[in-house]
Amino acid sequence: MTDVDPALHPVADALDAFLLRGKRLRPAFGYWGYRGAGAPDSDEVVAALAALELVQASALIHDDLMDRSDTRRGEPAVHRRFAGLHRAAGWQGNPDGYGDSAAILLGDLCLVWSDELMHRSGLAPEVVARARPDFDEMRTEVTVGQYLDVLTQVTGDTSVERAGKVARYKSAKYTVERPLLIGSALAGAPAALRATYSAYGLPLGEAFQLRDDVLGVFGDPAVTGKPAGDDLREGKRTYLVAAAYEATGDAGRAELAGRLGDPDLDTDGIERLRAVIVDSGALDRTERRIAELTDTALAALAGGDVEPAAARTLVDLAVAATRRTG
């Protein structure tokens, strides 16, 4: 990019920093899905599956912009970073508008690069072609899941059913199932193994999202890298919140209706909403659901014909995904 113009140095620096702070969870599931089919390690496969981290970067950069989040991974969100660059340089126009525009473009650039990396990985074209349907479906699913999430916030739908659908498409399929299927496709795995991966990946992906929902309300900002109670300020209608609406009384519902989605929600307001969620039993219900989904996933994995070393790693990844604190 800097061969095009030195002014692109901040773009390269921002994306470099953003990508290197990631968890790389999706490429990890993709890689071990590949190895679980008995396929050998190779630099080309690692490169192809690293494309999933670029898809994730695109999704997060755009997600932070849509949610007006200030931070990501303990650093300013990309739109805030470029707004700050505008202010520091004393440029003309609106700093926030510039930051928003930059974030849209950087997110798009990551999505373009995901395609480029997949196709330039060094794998034979016919191998890449096997994985292409799952790669395309994954990107469609996460995009429509994000739209449903945005739609749910503005319609105020607080049903557990809607929250479950958003979690399934925004995160469950995208985080675990599709990466596993992409890896298995690169390996030329049989249909039976792909079925095992779906039976493991879907419940585990949902459990991952439920853990994310809990951390979005109760997480430690020093660990999560995001402000405390950010999901409450953004008005996220998660499973956790939907379960609280379902179980709490009239006073609790009034509290949720009056404070959820308030961008100026202060510490006292966050604590009051947390109390409604805890007192309603929604937090305990969500924790039980995470445990049940994880057990279902691990049982499916144990019953499948997965290469033993890869299966052990997939167990470890399941624990890391559902017991994390950040």
Side-chain angles (χ1 to χ4, degrees):
M1 286 194 299
T2 55
D3 288 341
V4 175
D5 196 296
L8 292 171
H9 268 289
V11 175
D13 290 344
L15 291 176
D16 188 61
F18 192 88
L19 285 162
L20 292 178
R21 291 198 304 271
K23 298 183 183 70
R24 303 173 180 82
L25 192 60
R26 289 153 191 86
F29 278 115
Y31 177 79
W32 289 106
Y34 171 85
R35 294 298 301 276
D41 182 31
S42 77
D43 290 344
E44 292 79 10
V45 165
V46 170
L49 292 168
L52 299 178
E53 194 68 8
L54 285 163
V55 177
Q56 170 69 349
S58 174
L60 292 181
I61 290 169
H62 287 164
D63 190 52
D64 286 343
L65 173 59
M66 289 186 289
D67 292 341
R68 311 309 306 177
S69 297
D70 291 327
T71 61
R72 168 68 66 176
R73 298 168 178 165
E75 298 290 335
V78 168
H79 62 287
R80 299 297 189 207
R81 177 175 178 142
F82 280 85
L85 178 66
H86 184 291
R87 290 188 178 93
W91 291 334
Q92 299 177 28
N94 183 337
D96 291 331
Y98 174 77
D100 292 355
S101 298
I104 292 169
L105 293 169
L106 267 66
D108 287 350
L109 187 58
C110 286
L111 200 57
V112 170
W113 281 351
S114 72
D115 258 328
E116 186 176 329
L117 186 55
M118 177 72 76
H119 286 284
R120 292 189 181 182
S121 63
L123 292 174
E126 62 270 20
V127 174
V128 174
R130 289 201 301 258
R132 189 75 213 197
D134 286 309
F135 188 60
D136 291 342
E137 283 292 317
M138 179 192 73
R139 294 187 299 173
T140 295
E141 287 165 350
V142 69
T143 303
V144 299
Q146 285 276 32
Y147 176 78
L148 290 176
D149 188 25
V150 171
L151 178 65
T152 300
Q153 290 179 58
V154 298
T155 59
D157 189 334
T158 57
S159 68
V160 171
E161 291 75 19
R162 170 61 73 174
K165 178 175 283 189
V166 170
R168 182 183 181 90
Y169 283 93
K170 180 183 176 182
S171 187
K173 295 172 74 64
Y174 162 67
T175 300
V176 186
E177 185 201 22
R178 285 296 179 188
L180 286 165
L181 294 178
I182 290 167
S184 70
L186 292 175
L193 181 58
R194 288 174 60 84
T196 294
Y197 283 161
S198 289
Y200 161 83
L202 277 172
L204 182 61
E206 187 177 343
F208 170 87
Q209 182 57 48
L210 294 183
R211 175 57 62 211
D212 207 49
D213 295 343
V214 171
L215 292 174
V217 175
F218 296 97
D220 179 354
V223 180
T224 64
K226 291 179 72 68
D230 231 22
D231 280 5
L232 300 174
R233 291 190 188 90
E234 292 162 14
K236 297 283 188 184
R237 262 61 178 181
T238 62
Y239 178 93
L240 180 69
V241 168
Y245 261 105
E246 191 175 87
T248 193
D250 290 343
R253 289 191 189 92
E255 194 80 45
L256 288 166
R259 296 179 182 272
L260 192 65
D262 178 1
D264 298 319
L265 194 64
D266 59 13
T267 302
D268 177 66
I270 290 170
E271 288 304 323
R272 291 177 68 168
L273 289 180
R274 284 173 172 170
V276 171
I277 291 168
V278 172
D279 293 345
S280 71
L283 179 59
D284 286 342
R285 178 179 173 182
T286 302
E287 291 290 354
R288 288 195 303 273
R289 180 69 177 154
I290 291 171
E292 290 165 0
L293 289 165
T294 304
D295 287 346
T296 298
L298 293 177
L301 181 67
D305 186 19
V306 182
E307 192 278 327
R312 289 192 294 271
T313 302
L314 288 172
V315 170
D316 292 340
L317 283 171
V319 173
T322 57
R323 296 184 187 175
R324 62 199 167 91
T325 57

